[in-house]
Coordinates of all heavy atoms in Angstrom, one line a residue:
M162 N 0.8 -1.2 0.0 CA 0.0 0.0 0.0 C 0.8 1.3 0.0 O 0.5 2.3 -0.6 CB -0.9 0.0 1.2 CG -2.2 0.8 1.0 SD -3.2 0.4 -0.4 CE -4.3 1.8 -0.5
S163 N 2.0 1.2 0.7 CA 2.9 2.3 0.7 C 3.4 2.7 -0.7 O 3.7 3.8 -1.0 CB 4.0 2.1 1.7 OG 4.8 1.0 1.2
R164 N 3.5 1.7 -1.5 CA 4.0 1.8 -2.8 C 3.0 2.7 -3.6 O 3.4 3.6 -4.4 CB 4.0 0.5 -3.5 CG 4.5 0.5 -5.0 CD 6.0 0.3 -5.1 NE 6.4 0.5 -6.4 CZ 7.6 0.9 -6.8 NH1 8.5 1.2 -5.9 NH2 7.9 1.0 -8.1
F165 N 1.7 2.5 -3.4 CA 0.7 3.3 -4.0 C 0.8 4.8 -3.6 O 0.7 5.6 -4.4 CB -0.7 2.7 -3.6 CG -1.8 3.6 -4.1 CD1 -2.2 3.6 -5.5 CD2 -2.6 4.4 -3.3 CE1 -3.2 4.3 -6.0 CE2 -3.6 5.1 -3.7 CZ -3.9 5.1 -5.1
I166 N 1.0 5.0 -2.4 CA 1.2 6.4 -1.9 C 2.4 7.1 -2.5 O 2.3 8.2 -2.9 CB 1.3 6.3 -0.3 CG1 0.0 5.9 0.3 CG2 1.7 7.7 0.2 CD1 0.1 5.5 1.8
E167 N 3.4 6.3 -2.7 CA 4.6 6.9 -3.4 C 4.2 7.4 -4.8 O 4.7 8.4 -5.2 CB 5.8 5.8 -3.4 CG 6.4 5.6 -2.1 CD 7.1 6.8 -1.5 OE1 7.7 7.5 -2.2 OE2 6.9 7.1 -0.3
V168 N 3.5 6.5 -5.5 CA 3.1 6.9 -6.8 C 2.3 8.1 -6.9 O 2.4 9.0 -7.6 CB 2.4 5.7 -7.5 CG1 1.8 6.1 -8.8 CG2 3.3 4.5 -7.7
V169 N 1.3 8.2 -5.9 CA 0.5 9.4 -5.8 C 1.3 10.6 -5.6 O 1.2 11.7 -6.2 CB -0.6 9.2 -4.8 CG1 -1.4 10.5 -4.5 CG2 -1.6 8.1 -5.2
K170 N 2.3 10.5 -4.7 CA 3.2 11.6 -4.3 C 3.9 12.1 -5.6 O 4.1 13.2 -5.9 CB 4.1 11.2 -3.3 CG 3.6 11.4 -1.8 CD 4.7 11.1 -0.9 CE 4.2 11.1 0.6 NZ 5.2 10.6 1.5
A171 N 4.4 11.1 -6.3 CA 5.2 11.4 -7.6 C 4.3 12.1 -8.6 O 4.7 13.1 -9.2 CB 5.7 10.1 -8.2
L172 N 3.1 11.7 -8.7 CA 2.1 12.3 -9.6 C 1.9 13.8 -9.2 O 1.8 14.7 -10.0 CB 0.8 11.5 -9.7 CG 0.9 10.2 -10.5 CD1 -0.4 9.5 -10.3 CD2 1.2 10.4 -11.9
R173 N 1.7 13.9 -7.9 CA 1.4 15.3 -7.4 C 2.6 16.2 -7.7 O 2.4 17.3 -8.0 CB 1.2 15.2 -5.9 CG -0.2 14.7 -5.6 CD -0.6 15.1 -4.2 NE -2.0 15.1 -4.0 CZ -2.7 15.5 -3.0 NH1 -2.0 15.9 -1.9 NH2 -3.9 15.6 -2.9
R174 N 3.8 15.7 -7.5 CA 5.0 16.5 -7.7 C 5.0 16.9 -9.2 O 5.5 18.0 -9.5 CB 6.2 15.7 -7.4 CG 6.4 15.6 -5.9 CD 7.8 15.1 -5.6 NE 8.1 15.3 -4.1 CZ 9.3 15.4 -3.7 NH1 10.3 15.3 -4.5 NH2 9.5 15.6 -2.4
R175 N 4.7 16.0 -10.0 CA 4.8 16.3 -11.5 C 3.8 17.5 -11.8 O 4.1 18.1 -12.8 CB 4.3 15.1 -12.3 CG 5.3 14.0 -12.2 CD 5.2 13.0 -13.3 NE 6.3 13.2 -14.2 CZ 6.4 12.5 -15.4 NH1 5.5 11.6 -15.7 NH2 7.5 12.6 -16.1
R176 N 2.8 17.6 -11.1 CA 1.9 18.7 -11.4 C 2.5 20.1 -11.1 O 2.1 21.1 -11.6 CB 0.6 18.6 -10.6 CG -0.2 17.3 -11.0 CD -1.5 17.2 -10.1 NE -2.4 18.3 -10.3 CZ -3.4 18.2 -11.1 NH1 -3.7 17.1 -11.8 NH2 -4.3 19.2 -11.3
E177 N 3.5 20.1 -10.3 CA 4.1 21.3 -10.0 C 5.2 21.8 -11.0 O 6.3 21.8 -10.7 CB 4.8 21.2 -8.6 CG 3.8 21.2 -7.5 CD 4.3 21.7 -6.2 OE1 5.2 22.6 -6.2 OE2 3.9 21.2 -5.1
S178 N 4.7 21.9 -12.2 CA 5.7 22.2 -13.2 C 5.3 23.7 -13.6 O 4.3 24.1 -13.5 CB 5.6 21.3 -14.4 OG 4.3 21.3 -15.0
A179 N 6.4 24.3 -14.2 CA 6.2 25.6 -14.7 C 6.5 25.7 -16.1 O 7.0 24.7 -16.7 CB 7.3 26.6 -14.0
V180 N 6.1 26.7 -16.8 CA 6.4 26.8 -18.2 C 7.4 27.9 -18.5 O 7.5 28.9 -17.8 CB 5.1 27.1 -19.0 CG1 4.2 25.9 -19.0 CG2 4.4 28.4 -18.5
A181 N 8.3 27.6 -19.4 CA 9.3 28.6 -19.8 C 9.2 28.9 -21.3 O 8.8 28.0 -22.1 CB 10.7 28.0 -19.4
C182 N 9.7 30.0 -21.6 CA 9.7 30.4 -23.0 C 10.7 29.6 -23.8 O 11.8 29.4 -23.5 CB 10.1 31.9 -23.1 SG 10.3 32.5 -24.8
P183 N 10.2 29.0 -25.0 CA 11.1 28.2 -25.8 C 12.2 29.0 -26.5 O 13.2 28.5 -27.0 CB 10.2 27.5 -26.7 CG 9.0 28.4 -26.9 CD 8.9 29.1 -25.5
R184 N 12.0 30.3 -26.6 CA 12.9 31.1 -27.4 C 14.0 31.6 -26.5 O 15.2 31.6 -26.7 CB 12.2 32.3 -28.0 CG 13.1 33.1 -28.9 CD 12.5 34.4 -29.4 NE 11.5 34.1 -30.4 CZ 10.7 35.1 -30.9 NH1 10.7 36.3 -30.4 NH2 9.8 34.8 -31.8
C185 N 13.7 32.2 -25.3 CA 14.7 32.8 -24.4 C 14.8 32.1 -23.1 O 15.7 32.4 -22.3 CB 14.4 34.3 -24.2 SG 12.9 34.6 -23.2
G186 N 14.0 31.1 -22.8 CA 14.0 30.4 -21.6 C 13.5 31.1 -20.3 O 13.7 30.6 -19.2
S187 N 12.9 32.2 -20.5 CA 12.4 33.0 -19.4 C 11.2 32.4 -18.8 O 10.4 31.7 -19.5 CB 12.1 34.4 -19.9 OG 11.4 35.1 -18.9
L188 N 11.0 32.5 -17.5 CA 9.8 32.1 -16.8 C 8.7 33.1 -16.9 O 7.6 33.0 -16.3 CB 10.1 31.6 -15.4 CG 11.0 30.4 -15.3 CD1 11.3 30.2 -13.8 CD2 10.3 29.2 -15.9
A189 N 9.1 34.3 -17.4 CA 8.1 35.4 -17.5 C 7.1 35.2 -18.6 O 6.9 36.1 -19.5 CB 8.8 36.7 -17.6
I190 N 6.5 34.0 -18.7 CA 5.6 33.7 -19.8 C 4.3 33.3 -19.1 O 4.2 32.7 -18.1 CB 6.2 32.5 -20.6 CG1 5.4 32.3 -21.9 CG2 6.3 31.2 -19.8 CD1 6.2 31.5 -22.9
R191 N 3.2 33.8 -19.8 CA 1.9 33.5 -19.2 C 0.9 33.2 -20.3 O 1.1 33.6 -21.4 CB 1.5 34.7 -18.3 CG 1.5 36.0 -19.1 CD 1.2 37.2 -18.2 NE 1.4 38.4 -18.9 CZ 0.5 38.9 -19.9 NH1 -0.6 38.2 -20.1 NH2 0.8 40.0 -20.5
K192 N -0.2 32.7 -19.9 CA -1.2 32.4 -20.8 C -1.9 33.7 -21.2 O -2.2 34.6 -20.4 CB -2.3 31.5 -20.2 CG -1.9 30.1 -20.1 CD -3.0 29.2 -19.5 CE -2.5 27.9 -19.1 NZ -3.5 27.1 -18.4
S193 N -2.2 33.8 -22.5 CA -3.0 34.9 -23.0 C -4.4 34.8 -22.4 O -5.0 33.7 -22.4 CB -2.9 34.9 -24.5 OG -4.0 35.8 -25.0
S194 N -5.0 35.9 -22.0 CA -6.4 35.8 -21.6 C -7.3 36.2 -22.7 O -8.5 36.5 -22.4 CB -6.5 36.7 -20.4 OG -6.0 38.0 -20.7
G195 N -6.9 36.1 -23.9 CA -7.7 36.4 -25.0 C -8.9 35.5 -25.2 O -8.9 34.3 -24.8
M196 N -10.0 36.0 -25.8 CA -11.2 35.2 -25.9 C -11.0 34.2 -27.1 O -11.8 33.3 -27.3 CB -12.3 36.1 -26.3 CG -12.8 37.0 -25.1 SD -13.9 36.1 -24.0 CE -15.4 36.0 -25.0
D197 N -10.0 34.4 -27.9 CA -9.9 33.6 -29.1 C -9.4 32.2 -28.9 O -9.6 31.3 -29.7 CB -8.9 34.3 -30.1 CG -7.6 34.4 -29.4 OD1 -7.5 34.8 -28.3 OD2 -6.5 34.2 -30.1
G198 N -9.0 31.9 -27.7 CA -8.4 30.6 -27.4 C -9.4 29.6 -26.8 O -8.9 28.6 -26.2
W199 N -10.6 29.9 -26.8 CA -11.5 29.0 -26.0 C -11.6 27.6 -26.6 O -12.0 26.7 -25.8 CB -12.9 29.7 -25.9 CG -13.6 29.9 -27.2 CD1 -13.5 30.8 -28.1 CD2 -14.7 29.0 -27.7 NE1 -14.4 30.6 -29.2 CE2 -15.1 29.5 -28.9 CE3 -15.3 27.9 -27.2 CZ2 -16.1 28.9 -29.7 CZ3 -16.4 27.3 -27.9 CH2 -16.8 27.8 -29.2
M200 N -11.4 27.4 -27.9 CA -11.5 26.0 -28.4 C -10.1 25.5 -28.7 O -9.9 24.3 -29.1 CB -12.3 26.0 -29.7 CG -13.8 25.8 -29.5 SD -14.6 25.7 -31.0 CE -14.3 24.0 -31.5
L201 N -9.1 26.3 -28.5 CA -7.7 25.9 -28.9 C -6.9 25.8 -27.6 O -7.3 26.3 -26.6 CB -7.1 27.0 -29.8 CG -7.8 27.2 -31.1 CD1 -7.4 28.5 -31.7 CD2 -7.4 26.0 -32.1
P202 N -5.7 25.1 -27.7 CA -4.8 25.2 -26.6 C -4.5 26.6 -26.2 O -4.5 27.5 -27.1 CB -3.6 24.4 -27.1 CG -4.1 23.6 -28.2 CD -5.1 24.4 -28.8
P203 N -4.1 26.9 -25.0 CA -3.8 28.3 -24.6 C -2.6 28.8 -25.3 O -1.7 28.2 -25.6 CB -3.6 28.2 -23.1 CG -3.2 26.7 -22.8 CD -4.0 26.0 -23.9
L204 N -2.8 30.1 -25.6 CA -1.7 30.8 -26.2 C -0.8 31.5 -25.1 O -1.3 32.1 -24.2 CB -2.2 31.9 -27.1 CG -1.3 32.7 -28.0 CD1 -0.8 31.8 -29.1 CD2 -1.9 33.9 -28.5
Y205 N 0.5 31.3 -25.3 CA 1.4 31.9 -24.2 C 2.1 33.1 -24.8 O 2.4 33.2 -25.9 CB 2.4 30.8 -23.8 CG 1.8 29.7 -23.0 CD1 1.3 28.6 -23.6 CD2 1.7 29.8 -21.6 CE1 0.7 27.5 -22.9 CE2 1.1 28.8 -20.9 CZ 0.6 27.6 -21.5 OH 0.1 26.6 -20.8
L206 N 2.3 34.0 -23.9 CA 3.0 35.2 -24.2 C 4.2 35.4 -23.3 O 4.1 35.3 -22.1 CB 2.1 36.5 -24.1 CG 0.8 36.5 -24.9 CD1 -0.1 37.6 -24.5 CD2 1.2 36.7 -26.4
C207 N 5.3 35.7 -23.9 CA 6.6 36.0 -23.1 C 6.8 37.5 -23.0 O 6.8 38.1 -24.0 CB 7.8 35.3 -23.7 SG 9.3 35.7 -22.9
S208 N 7.0 37.9 -21.8 CA 7.1 39.4 -21.6 C 8.6 39.8 -21.8 O 9.0 40.9 -21.7 CB 6.6 39.8 -20.3 OG 7.2 39.2 -19.2
E209 N 9.5 38.8 -21.9 CA 10.9 39.0 -22.0 C 11.3 39.3 -23.4 O 12.0 40.3 -23.8 CB 11.8 37.9 -21.5 CG 11.7 37.7 -19.9 CD 12.6 38.8 -19.3 OE1 13.6 39.2 -19.8 OE2 12.2 39.2 -18.2
C210 N 10.9 38.4 -24.3 CA 11.3 38.5 -25.8 C 10.1 38.7 -26.7 O 10.3 38.9 -27.9 CB 12.1 37.3 -26.2 SG 11.1 35.8 -26.3
G211 N 8.9 38.7 -26.2 CA 7.8 39.0 -27.0 C 7.3 37.8 -27.7 O 6.4 37.8 -28.6
Y212 N 7.8 36.6 -27.4 CA 7.3 35.4 -28.0 C 5.9 35.1 -27.7 O 5.4 35.3 -26.6 CB 8.2 34.2 -27.5 CG 7.6 32.8 -27.9 CD1 7.9 32.2 -29.1 CD2 6.8 32.1 -27.0 CE1 7.3 31.0 -29.4 CE2 6.2 30.9 -27.3 CZ 6.5 30.3 -28.5 OH 6.0 29.1 -28.9
A213 N 5.1 34.7 -28.8 CA 3.8 34.3 -28.6 C 3.5 33.0 -29.3 O 3.8 32.9 -30.5 CB 2.8 35.4 -29.1
G214 N 3.0 32.0 -28.6 CA 2.8 30.8 -29.3 C 2.2 29.8 -28.3 O 2.1 30.0 -27.1
R215 N 1.9 28.6 -28.9 CA 1.3 27.5 -28.0 C 2.3 26.5 -27.6 O 2.0 25.7 -26.8 CB 0.2 26.8 -28.8 CG -1.0 27.8 -29.1 CD -2.1 27.1 -29.7 NE -3.3 28.0 -29.6 CZ -3.5 29.0 -30.4 NH1 -2.8 29.2 -31.5 NH2 -4.6 29.8 -30.3
L216 N 3.6 26.7 -28.1 CA 4.6 25.8 -27.7 C 5.4 26.4 -26.6 O 6.0 27.5 -26.8 CB 5.5 25.5 -28.9 CG 6.7 24.6 -28.7 CD1 6.2 23.1 -28.6 CD2 7.7 24.6 -29.8
V217 N 5.5 25.7 -25.5 CA 6.3 26.2 -24.3 C 7.1 25.1 -23.8 O 6.7 23.9 -23.9 CB 5.3 26.8 -23.2 CG1 4.8 28.2 -23.7 CG2 4.3 25.8 -22.8
L218 N 8.1 25.4 -23.1 CA 8.9 24.4 -22.4 C 8.3 24.2 -21.0 O 8.0 25.1 -20.3 CB 10.3 24.9 -22.2 CG 11.1 25.1 -23.5 CD1 12.5 25.7 -23.1 CD2 11.3 23.8 -24.2
E219 N 8.2 22.9 -20.7 CA 7.7 22.6 -19.3 C 8.9 22.2 -18.5 O 9.7 21.4 -18.8 CB 6.7 21.4 -19.4 CG 5.3 21.9 -19.8 CD 4.3 20.8 -19.5 OE1 4.3 20.1 -18.4 OE2 3.4 20.7 -20.3
V220 N 9.0 22.9 -17.4 CA 10.1 22.6 -16.5 C 9.6 22.3 -15.1 O 8.6 22.8 -14.7 CB 11.1 23.9 -16.4 CG1 11.8 24.0 -17.8 CG2 10.3 25.1 -16.2
D221 N 10.4 21.5 -14.5 CA 10.1 21.1 -13.1 C 10.6 22.2 -12.1 O 11.7 22.6 -12.2 CB 10.8 19.8 -12.8 CG 10.2 19.1 -11.6 OD1 9.7 19.8 -10.7 OD2 10.3 17.9 -11.5
R222 N 9.8 22.6 -11.2 CA 10.2 23.7 -10.3 C 11.3 23.2 -9.4 O 12.2 24.0 -9.1 CB 9.0 24.0 -9.4 CG 8.0 24.9 -10.1 CD 6.9 25.4 -9.1 NE 5.8 26.0 -9.8 CZ 5.8 27.2 -10.3 NH1 6.8 28.0 -10.2 NH2 4.7 27.7 -10.9
E223 N 11.3 21.9 -9.1 CA 12.4 21.4 -8.3 C 13.7 21.4 -9.0 O 14.8 21.7 -8.5 CB 12.1 20.0 -7.8 CG 11.1 20.0 -6.7 CD 11.0 18.6 -6.0 OE1 11.9 17.8 -6.2 OE2 10.0 18.4 -5.3
T224 N 13.6 21.1 -10.3 CA 14.8 21.2 -11.1 C 15.4 22.6 -11.1 O 16.6 22.8 -11.0 CB 14.5 20.7 -12.6 OG1 13.9 19.4 -12.5 CG2 15.8 20.6 -13.4
L225 N 14.5 23.5 -11.3 CA 14.9 24.9 -11.3 C 15.6 25.3 -10.0 O 16.7 26.0 -9.9 CB 13.7 25.8 -11.5 CG 13.1 25.8 -12.9 CD1 11.8 26.6 -13.0 CD2 14.1 26.4 -13.9
A226 N 15.0 24.9 -8.9 CA 15.5 25.3 -7.6 C 16.9 24.7 -7.4 O 17.8 25.3 -6.8 CB 14.6 24.8 -6.5
G227 N 17.1 23.5 -7.9 CA 18.4 22.8 -7.7 C 19.5 23.3 -8.7 O 20.6 23.0 -8.6
D228 N 19.0 24.1 -9.6 CA 19.9 24.6 -10.7 C 20.6 25.9 -10.3 O 21.3 26.5 -11.1 CB 19.1 24.7 -12.0 CG 20.0 24.4 -13.2 OD1 20.9 23.6 -13.0 OD2 19.7 24.9 -14.3
R229 N 20.3 26.4 -9.2 CA 20.9 27.7 -8.8 C 22.4 27.7 -8.8 O 23.0 26.7 -8.3 CB 20.3 28.1 -7.4 CG 19.3 29.3 -7.5 CD 18.8 29.6 -6.1 NE 18.2 28.4 -5.5 CZ 17.7 28.3 -4.3 NH1 17.7 29.4 -3.5 NH2 17.3 27.2 -3.7
K230 N 22.9 28.8 -9.1 CA 24.4 28.8 -9.1 C 24.9 29.8 -8.0 O 24.3 30.6 -7.7 CB 24.9 29.3 -10.5 CG 24.8 28.2 -11.5 CD 25.0 28.7 -13.0 CE 24.5 27.6 -13.9 NZ 24.0 28.2 -15.1
Ligands
ZN260 ZN1 10.9 34.7 -24.3

C-alpha cells in the first residue's frame, strides 16, 4: 500500500511544473487571456522577448531550484 502512496506523491509532484519560453528560456511567460483561445490550446506570451505561441517548455520547479548557481 505504501507503494501506491509513493506513486500518488510522484504524480502530485509532477503537477508542480512551470512553463518557460522556448525562445529565451524566461519564466516570465503567461497564458494569454484572449477570448480567441476558447477552443484551442492556450496561447502563451513571453514578456521578455515577446514570443507568442502555443509551444512552451515545461520545466520542473524542483529542477529549477536545484539549478541555482
Ligand atoms: Zn521569451
Side-chain angles (χ1 to χ4, degrees):
M162 203 58 194
S163 60
R164 179 93 185 152
F165 174 74
I166 292 166
E167 288 299 316
V168 171
V169 171
K170 275 186 185 172
L172 288 173
R173 282 199 157 186
R174 283 191 168 207
R175 292 201 109 180
R176 291 176 69 96
E177 288 205 31
S178 61
V180 290
C182 175
R184 187 190 284 172
C185 70
S187 171
L188 292 175
I190 191 164
R191 56 184 173 78
K192 280 183 199 175
S193 165
S194 52
M196 292 277 287
D197 57 320
W199 66 279
M200 272 183 77
L201 296 164
L204 188 72
Y205 289 90
L206 299 170
C207 175
S208 59
E209 287 289 326
C210 70
Y212 168 84
R215 295 188 166 83
L216 182 74
V217 288
L218 295 176
E219 276 193 42
V220 289
D221 194 335
R222 283 188 195 278
E223 282 191 19
T224 304
L225 287 173
D228 212 27
R229 253 176 306 179
K230 282 166 193 150

